[in-house]
Amino acid sequence: MTKMRINKVNVYPNDNKWIVRTEGCERAYRIVESQAEAIQIGRKVAIKRKCELWVYRTDGSVRSKDTFGVDPFPPRK
């Protein structure tokens, strides 16, 4: 059995709840009441798995993107 590499954790709204879902998984990792709680959970998962955290607004646009681990496109100095 091969281990799947998670590249992204998504935080997004759904029916007055906030979903934390890892890329490639059909089921939500967690469903919570507040965006702040979902971001906190998503950040912990992304740090542990050394991947990206994408947070979406209620209109579907991207609110923020953070990379934890190796950044494929680091900022120029």
Side-chain angles (χ1 to χ4, degrees):
M1 184 174 187
T2 60
K3 202 173 193 182
M4 187 171 81
R5 171 78 176 123
I6 303 298
N7 294 324
K8 188 164 84 168
V9 176
N10 295 303
V11 172
Y12 59 91
N14 187 6
D15 294 333
N16 297 322
K17 304 270 187 193
W18 287 86
I19 310 292
V20 179
R21 179 176 286 162
T22 54
E23 184 179 54
C25 293
E26 291 180 25
R27 298 182 70 195
Y29 180 81
R30 290 279 299 275
I31 301 172
V32 296
E33 297 292 326
S34 72
Q35 183 184 42
E37 185 180 3
I39 291 170
Q40 185 179 23
I41 293 165
R43 186 176 308 281
K44 287 179 183 179
V45 173
I47 288 169
K48 183 177 178 180
R49 297 188 177 176
K50 296 180 179 161
C51 65
E52 292 185 346
L53 172 65
W54 288 46
V55 179
Y56 295 88
R57 292 184 181 96
T58 55
D59 67 2
S61 63
V62 176
R63 173 184 162 178
S64 65
K65 294 188 268 184
D66 292 308
T67 301
F68 303 95
V70 179
D71 188 350
F73 302 104
R76 294 183 180 191
K77 294 183 180 184

